Amino acid sequence: MENARRSVYVDNAATTAVSEEVLEAMLPFYKEVYGNPSSLYELGQRAKAPLEEARATVAACLGARPNEIYFTSCGSESDNWAIKGAARAQRRKHGKDHVITSAFEHHAVLHTCQALEREGFTVTYLPVHEDGLVRVEELEAAITEKTALVTIMYANNEIGTIQPIPEIGAVCQKHGVLFHTDAVQAVGSVPIDVKAQNIDMLSLSGHKIHAPKGVGALYIRAGVFIDNFMDGGAQERGRRAGTENVAQIVGLATAVRRAVDTVDERVARLTPMREKLIDGLLKIERSRLNGSRERRLPGNVSFCFQGVEGESLLLLLDMHGISASSGSACTSGSLDPSHVLLAIGLPHEVAHGSLRISLGDYNTMEDVDYILEVLPQIIERLRKMSPLWDAIQTGKVNYDPYM
Amino acid sequence: MAYSEKVMDHFANPRNVGEMKDFSGVGEVGNPKCGDIMRMYIKVEGDVITDVSFMTFGCGAAIATSSMATELIKGKPISEALKLTNKAVMEALDGLPPVKVHCSVLAEQAIKAAVSDYYKRIGVDPEPIVGAIPECEECGCSI
């Protein structure tokens, strides 16, 4: 096969490049304005003002108030804080020790819920249907008087399905249960309004939207009682101590502002690219799109190809300059296929052949054309040497019901 | 996944890959549920494996270990091929990441399975010669 002809980065759900605009916004805070925002003198106050401006920006982008935004080090931290902090406080204050989540959450949520189970909490893992969506009525049926918290992701990181968040918010409000959502993948792709959508806590991350790695935020609705994340100084209203990462917080706010202001353009630009990719890949024999085609992020294309294994697929794509992922990057290193694909009902045999392409602001239709040129050849090459493909073709095994 | 240059070479340019029509023995090991299946074909003349080929469904390491294993037994007497260990395959590839060690075990087993099949086809009980083909102990998958 030919060597790489171009470089196509289509793993934007894993991370993104820091944008020029974000970088420029951050740079002064490394050199000139290095003061500690907690300091009284001018250099400190010159850092304090942009910090609070950043808070107001993020708040405005989510429909929140500035005093409801807390800066963190990443999306995982936000998830950990929201879930553990709220669940423990609920148990202490109200004796509630039940948490509801879904089977296909990010590990930052799933493993946090498992940690709560070790503390004696009961956790309900709602099933996810074949379309990659949870059912609001099943969620409502799972709520008991012991339920402290519901945590359901806004959009899935792997198959890109967008959950019925406003409906879930309404149900939680009706039953007086706190509702947290991991919106790391959704910011910039879906319009978010925490008040209108009845969201009590929301996690977001910078590096998925062209801010640097190592910065995130948590929205906590005023009045929600939650344990402190880190004890220490008075930063972040005393709930998350530690000198603020001013430069990256300013970068995060710049990125959130850009992402949210351009949601409509992004959806309009990425959707035709996504649709062309899906149409093109569905032409490959015995392939399937994972999750609902309609209720999905504009940049997400998740497929399974029978008879092909995901890692070898990624390695060959990489040799052609294409950076994509198979399942979630967090699952590499384990030999089991992604819990997300298993949760939507796929057998291991099919889930092993998964590919996630996640388009972002820097991708073009030419990238899509290049992928559609290269990928079918790679699938063909792998299938030609695959004894599983041989068995599929001779009818010894049949996975077509899952297609 | 940090693969050695040799692994990447055998993955990108697999040796002896493809179906063999006039084989003397064929063996298949692995499991689609675990994400890898290896099928090994051998052509035997006298006591010598004169030709060998493989088909593999699996990760980069599975394809590379299959390819390397075929190279290591091609032209060798059966007795020597049966002595090939997964460690020797790994060493020939300049090592494998720990989670991929099971791929080299599969390669060793695939050769034994192909030789067993050859003996069965010529009416010889393979058990005393090849021994039992153990289950993969390195596999970390959940089934």
Side-chain angles (χ1 to χ4, degrees):
Chain A
M1 283 199 154
E2 297 157 61
N3 287 324
R5 275 172 293 174
R6 49 186 293 159
S7 179
V8 174
Y9 181 82
V10 282
D11 203 13
N12 291 278
T15 196
T16 59
V18 173
S19 72
E20 201 54 44
E21 183 191 13
V22 166
L23 185 62
E24 286 303 317
M26 293 193 316
L27 285 177
F29 299 95
Y30 288 112
K31 291 176 117 179
E32 303 96 57
V33 194
Y34 55 82
N36 188 322
S38 300
S39 300
L40 189 66
Y41 44 76
E42 198 212 335
L43 193 60
Q45 291 309 301
R46 275 173 63 202
K48 175 88 173 167
L51 174 68
E52 292 316 316
E53 226 171 274
R55 200 181 306 282
T57 300
V58 173
C61 289
L62 299 175
R65 291 197 298 269
N67 64 0
E68 297 174 313
I69 300 299
Y70 299 83
F71 293 112
T72 65
S73 70
C74 58
S76 294
E77 182 189 319
S78 299
D79 287 339
N80 268 266
W81 184 13
I83 296 166
K84 287 178 184 158
R88 288 172 185 160
Q90 285 286 312
R91 179 161 70 176
R92 210 172 45 247
K93 291 188 79 145
H94 306 294
K96 294 182 174 182
D97 58 2
H98 176 226
V99 174
I100 301 173
T101 187
S102 81
F104 81 158
E105 297 293 311
H106 191 276
H107 284 138
V109 169
L110 278 186
H111 291 170
T112 300
C113 288
Q114 286 161 11
L116 285 177
E117 285 182 295
R118 291 192 291 275
E119 291 179 21
F121 283 87
T122 307
V123 179
T124 299
Y125 299 90
L126 286 179
V128 182
H129 291 251
E130 192 272 338
D131 57 8
L133 300 169
V134 298
R135 297 290 183 268
V136 180
E137 54 278 16
E138 289 177 0
L139 168 70
E140 186 163 21
I143 294 176
T144 72
E145 55 188 19
K146 286 287 202 182
T147 306
L149 173 73
V150 168
T151 173
I152 302 284
M153 69 201 320
Y154 213 119
N156 185 266
N157 50 307
E158 200 172 325
I159 60 173
T161 48
I162 300 166
Q163 301 306 313
I165 293 300
E167 292 81 355
I168 294 172
V171 162
C172 290
Q173 199 198 32
K174 182 176 135 194
H175 293 276
V177 175
L178 289 178
F179 174 40
H180 165 257
T181 185
D182 174 342
V184 164
Q185 297 290 338
V187 175
S189 289
V190 186
I192 296 174
D193 184 320
V194 290
K195 303 291 179 218
Q197 298 168 357
N198 288 309
I199 297 165
D200 295 309
M201 293 180 286
L202 178 143
S203 303
L204 64 85
S205 166
H207 73 106
K208 312 287 190 187
I209 50 172
H210 302 288
K213 295 152 189 70
V215 64
L218 177 64
Y219 153 77
I220 308 173
R221 184 172 58 73
V224 169
F225 198 80
I226 176 170
D227 285 3
N228 291 348
F229 181 75
M230 195 140 56
D231 295 311
Q235 297 92 350
E236 303 302 296
R237 299 164 64 82
R239 291 170 135 180
R240 199 260 185 206
T243 301
E244 301 89 341
N245 186 355
V246 181
Q248 293 208 2
I249 288 169
V250 168
L252 174 75
T254 307
V256 171
R257 166 56 71 203
R258 171 67 58 188
V260 168
D261 283 353
T262 53
V263 168
D264 293 342
E265 289 102 299
R266 187 166 300 103
V267 171
R269 208 178 77 83
L270 295 185
T271 305
M273 290 161 66
R274 177 193 75 189
E275 291 302 294
K276 187 172 187 183
L277 257 178
I278 293 175
D279 284 333
L281 297 182
L282 282 174
K283 285 189 194 133
I284 296 176
E285 191 188 347
R286 293 190 157 106
S287 64
R288 90 187 292 276
L289 175 71
N290 298 316
S292 162
R293 184 164 182 166
E294 292 75 32
R295 289 193 56 90
R296 73 190 300 124
L297 293 172
N300 177 286
V301 176
S302 167
F303 261 75
C304 284
F305 304 100
Q306 284 189 42
V308 165
E309 194 280 331
E311 190 205 274
S312 46
L313 185 56
L314 291 190
L315 291 171
L316 285 175
L317 283 169
D318 188 31
M319 286 179 195
H320 286 77
I322 299 170
S323 312
S325 95
S326 178
S328 157
C330 319
T331 60
S332 69
S334 128
L335 296 167
D336 288 322
S338 117
H339 69 285
V340 174
L341 299 175
L342 299 180
I344 61 167
L346 294 180
H348 284 62
E349 294 86 331
V350 174
H352 280 301
S354 75
L355 175 71
R356 179 188 71 183
I357 294 169
S358 46
L359 303 164
D361 287 352
Y362 299 161
N363 290 119
T364 61
M365 202 53 112
E366 284 71 42
D367 292 341
V368 169
D369 292 336
Y370 180 60
I371 294 167
L372 286 175
E373 183 194 323
V374 168
L375 187 53
Q377 299 169 37
I378 290 176
I379 302 278
E380 200 191 322
R381 171 182 166 156
L382 288 171
R383 281 177 171 174
K384 236 172 125 179
M385 68 163 94
S386 165
L388 181 59
W389 181 245
D390 187 37
I392 290 164
Q393 286 204 304
T394 53
K396 280 183 202 136
V397 289
N398 181 16
Y399 306 119
D400 289 349
Y402 299 104
M403 291 296 113
Chain B
M1 193 60 60
Y3 283 137
S4 70
E5 271 179 43
K6 272 200 184 150
V7 171
M8 287 310 294
D9 175 40
H10 275 264
F11 167 71
N13 309 292
R15 281 50 148 190
N16 312 306
V17 65
E19 197 181 349
M20 191 188 287
K21 294 282 179 204
D22 56 341
F23 57 84
S24 316
V26 58
E28 194 171 291
V29 295
N31 180 324
K33 210 172 172 187
C34 290
D36 28 39
I37 307 175
M38 271 181 212
R39 186 188 290 172
M40 194 82 72
Y41 298 93
I42 53 170
K43 175 97 182 138
V44 180
E45 286 168 42
D47 259 348
V48 175
I49 297 171
T50 53
D51 199 9
V52 52
S53 77
F54 78 92
M55 288 177 75
T56 291
F57 157 78
C59 62
I63 291 169
T65 51
S66 312
S67 168
M68 181 53 90
T70 61
E71 285 280 90
L72 291 172
I73 64 164
K74 197 172 182 177
K76 299 276 165 63
I78 288 179
S79 57
E80 224 174 286
L82 288 175
K83 283 184 202 142
L84 184 73
T85 62
N86 78 300
K87 285 203 175 69
V89 176
M90 278 203 290
E91 276 162 22
L93 287 167
D94 293 340
L96 285 174
V99 294
K100 302 293 186 182
V101 171
H102 76 282
C103 296
S104 64
V105 176
L106 276 184
E108 179 192 320
Q109 291 174 354
I111 293 167
K112 294 197 163 99
V115 171
S116 284
D117 181 62
Y118 161 69
Y119 281 124
K120 276 183 206 153
R121 282 167 193 270
I122 60 168
V124 175
D125 178 12
E127 188 83 27
I129 308 165
V130 182
I133 298 170
E135 287 296 309
C136 174
E137 288 166 4
E138 301 287 342
C139 182
C141 72
S142 65
I143 62 165

